[in-house]
Amino acid sequence: QKEVEQDPGPLSVPEGAIVSLNCTYSNSAFQYFMWYRQYSRKGPELLMYTYSSGNKEDGRFTAQVDKSSKYISLFIRDSQPSDSATYLCAMIHPILTQGGSEKLVFGKGTKLTVNP
Amino acid sequence: DTGVSQDPRHKITKRGQNVTFRCDPISEHNRLYWYRQTLGQGPEFLTYFQNEAQLEKSRLLSDRFSAERPKGSFSTLEIQRTEQGDSAMYLCASSSPGRTYNEQFFGPGTRLTVL
């Protein structure tokens, strides 16, 4: 079992739809939860991060973490064609990494297409 | 441009050749990471530097791989005797301590194709 599971999709929605992206994880030591966006042939860029459980909102984006279920979500409201990209969840377990690396553990990514 | 830069952006090589990639992190960042991303997968951690010290290496980093960060600034990743399975995007990221969490900034990546 991989530490982080993410449905790779692809996911195709019409412009204006609400998009829900999800990841599950197995290691309860994870403390920081991130969502990265990656456009084709580019490096990932950080969208949002959340510490521990709870919700965080930033414009059209909302991140949720449920540590009791080991489940995280990213919601995109009023989706736009410019949101078309691969969305990667990532996590850190800062205490358990060697040398304090705080390396990121990524899901596979979900490829999203928003159609005009 | 003050972001993370990587060179080259693309590299095509024949099996058995050696290749070297370079990463220039954001100037004040003392932490540097290398990740590898294959098609349809998320990035996987390869190695981590704090200043010039290589503090962690993944099991993915076989003996054919070596990374350096000689003066705590730029880093190089060398692959010797390349194999077709080495074909991937190699991503570099950097970060700075003293923040609430470790936000890693990624470069554009070097895409390696081994023929």
Side-chain angles (χ1 to χ4, degrees), chain A residues 2 8 32 34 36 38 41-44 46 49 88 92 97-104 106-109, chain B residues 9-10 31 33 35 37 40-43 45 48 50 55-56 89 91 100-104 106-108 111:
Chain A
K2 294 198 75 172
Y32 290 98
M34 287 80 157
Y36 280 83
Q38 186 174 29
R41 299 186 179 272
K42 304 286 186 184
L46 182 69
Y49 85 95
L88 297 152
I92 296 174
T97 55
Q98 294 178 29
S101 73
E102 299 185 345
K103 63 189 175 188
L104 293 169
F106 283 89
K108 278 188 176 183
Chain B
R9 295 292 306 278
H10 302 95
R31 296 179 172 189
Y33 303 79
Y35 291 84
Q37 186 176 24
Q41 302 294 318
F45 170 79
Y48 161 68
Q50 185 170 311
L55 297 183
E56 185 176 354
M89 173 83 92
L91 292 161
T100 304
Y101 77 101
N102 180 17
E103 180 177 354
Q104 296 179 28
F106 283 82
R111 183 170 295 278

Side-chain angles (χ1 to χ4, degrees), chain A residues 4-104:
Chain A
V4 180
E5 299 280 0
Q6 183 176 10
D7 185 342
L11 184 61
S12 182
V13 301
E15 184 175 353
I18 297 174
V19 176
S20 173
L21 305 167
N22 311 291
C23 289
T24 58
Y25 62 95
S26 57
N27 193 331
S28 59
F30 284 130
Q31 295 184 12
Y32 290 98
F33 304 89
M34 287 80 157
W35 286 95
Y36 280 83
R37 179 173 61 196
Q38 186 174 29
Y39 291 112
S40 181
R41 299 186 179 272
K42 304 286 186 184
E45 57 176 338
L46 182 69
L47 268 180
M48 298 181 71
Y49 85 95
T50 309
Y51 174 71
S52 194
S53 284
N55 293 359
K56 189 171 185 178
E57 188 173 320
D58 184 1
R60 297 184 294 111
F61 298 88
T62 300
Q64 289 185 351
V65 175
D66 181 350
K67 291 194 75 177
S68 62
S69 302
K70 298 190 180 68
Y71 188 86
I72 71 169
S73 302
L74 178 71
F75 297 96
I76 308 174
R77 291 183 300 280
D78 187 26
S79 56
Q80 303 295 310
S82 59
D83 295 330
S84 298
T86 295
Y87 290 80
L88 297 152
C89 62
M91 306 175 190
I92 296 174
H93 40 64
I95 297 174
L96 299 181
T97 55
Q98 294 178 29
S101 73
E102 299 185 345
K103 63 189 175 188
L104 293 169

Side-chain angles (χ1 to χ4, degrees), chain B residues 4 13 17-18 32-33 36-39 46 50-51 59 62-63 65 71 75 79 82 92-93 98 106 108 114:
Chain B
V4 178
T13 190
Q17 298 295 305
N18 299 342
L32 187 145
Y33 303 79
R36 181 172 70 184
Q37 186 176 24
T38 54
L39 199 62
L46 291 179
Q50 185 170 311
N51 299 309
R59 291 171 302 165
S62 75
D63 291 345
F65 288 71
K71 295 183 180 179
S75 175
I79 309 174
T82 52
C92 177
F106 283 82
V114 181

